[in-house]
Amino acid sequence: MSDSDGIIHTFQQRRQLEEELDALAATNSQAALQGAVRRLAERYPTALLLAAITRRLGTSNSQLRGGMGQLCTLLPAAETADALRTVAGNRQKSPQERTTAALILQRFLEQPVPPGLLADLAGAEEAPYQSLLEAVAEGKRNRHVLLEYVAQMQEHPVDVAFMVLRLIDRLPPADEAELLRLIAHDARRPVAHAAIERLATAAAAPGGEACLRSLQTLVYSLLPEEAGLVERNLRKLQFSGRRYTP
């Protein structure tokens, strides 16, 4: 093969790889995503894969981020971790790119990230917010993901729970409903009450039907004090014209 033929082959291979990598965002099941990831790992050299992954770390598509994370677990660990640490520590990269690199390191590769590495990112809550977005996206396919997310939150101090609640405030009401319903069962009353109040606020907003439904179900599943708080909020909503109809 001549040098020019080799260059053409490499270019075509890179273009094909990038098309297949982008297609991860359109897979419609976890099995399809895992199958596509395995084919990528088997078909392309590590160097090409890592180059394509690092170019896409700024994506806002949570499914593509998850697919890239799974793909990284199939690549040589040391080489992959080095590539991700390079991005995470590069201040010339965007906060999204650096955050995604750190999340893949921690969640998929189980590699520690130095505490000070992301200290200069714009917004100290960007990394946990991306983690929340991923949980919400995965939870639409598997509701157990949200239950696991909330269970892990309950293992941390109260201030972490309130940070999560602040992050949930940034979600559309339809995406808040199930998370807040689960957090309303937290044994720590200040956390549970804050979740209930947020559900009531979101239920009063446009598009808050799912939150209104979640609030109604809590009447029957909470202890008396929290159930009473739910009922008071439901009455306020009824007076303002927001009534739940099964």
Side-chain angles (χ1 to χ4, degrees):
M1 179 184 295
S2 67
D3 290 343
S4 60
D5 288 340
I7 292 171
I8 292 171
H9 173 73
T10 301
F11 175 77
Q12 291 175 336
Q13 187 181 38
R14 184 182 297 122
R15 185 175 61 182
Q16 181 66 27
L17 160 60
E18 298 202 353
E19 290 176 356
E20 292 181 32
L21 189 57
D22 288 337
L24 295 179
T27 51
N28 54 18
S29 70
Q30 187 63 20
L33 181 64
Q34 291 174 343
V37 163
R38 283 195 300 271
R39 288 191 294 273
L40 283 166
E42 293 168 357
R43 190 174 299 171
Y44 297 101
T46 297
L48 277 182
L49 287 167
L50 287 177
I53 289 170
T54 54
R55 283 195 294 271
R56 282 161 177 74
L57 290 174
T59 180
S60 61
N61 186 286
S62 61
Q63 185 158 309
L64 179 54
R65 287 199 303 269
M68 292 192 299
Q70 292 184 35
L71 179 55
C72 285
T73 66
L74 303 178
L75 303 179
E79 191 174 346
T80 304
D82 285 345
L84 292 171
R85 284 198 187 94
T86 297
V87 174
N90 186 349
R91 294 185 179 183
Q92 295 183 347
K93 298 292 185 180
S94 70
Q96 177 71 69
E97 290 174 293
R98 299 177 68 194
T99 298
T100 302
L103 287 173
I104 292 176
L105 275 169
Q106 292 175 313
R107 174 175 294 184
F108 293 93
L109 301 184
E110 298 182 350
Q111 294 283 330
V113 176
L117 185 61
L118 300 177
D120 58 341
L121 282 174
E125 294 181 349
E126 187 62 27
Y129 183 59
Q130 292 303 323
S131 180
L132 172 65
L133 290 177
E134 290 178 7
V136 170
E138 293 170 12
K140 292 176 181 179
R141 298 187 294 271
N142 179 3
R143 294 178 67 191
H144 180 74
V145 171
L146 295 182
L147 182 60
E148 181 183 354
Y149 181 91
V150 172
Q152 291 178 4
M153 182 205 76
Q154 291 171 345
E155 296 174 0
H156 291 80
V158 169
D159 59 339
V160 172
F162 278 99
M163 181 195 71
V164 170
L165 287 168
R166 290 195 303 272
L167 298 178
I168 291 174
D169 289 341
R170 296 164 63 179
L171 298 174
D175 290 339
E176 292 182 273
E178 184 66 8
L179 275 168
L180 290 174
R181 185 184 71 81
L182 293 169
I183 296 173
H185 292 85
D186 199 300
R188 299 165 295 186
R189 282 183 170 172
V191 176
H193 288 192
I196 292 169
E197 295 291 353
R198 278 171 162 80
L199 263 180
T201 299
E209 289 76 13
C211 291
L212 183 60
R213 181 171 62 249
S214 288
L215 199 63
Q216 181 69 43
T217 65
L218 289 173
V219 173
Y220 310 104
S221 61
L222 294 178
L223 293 173
E225 180 177 335
E226 283 68 38
L229 177 60
V230 171
E231 290 174 333
R232 290 193 294 275
N233 276 290
L234 283 170
R235 284 196 293 271
K236 291 178 184 177
L237 288 165
Q238 288 174 3
F239 290 144
S240 65
R242 299 288 287 174
R243 182 184 297 272
Y244 174 69
T245 303

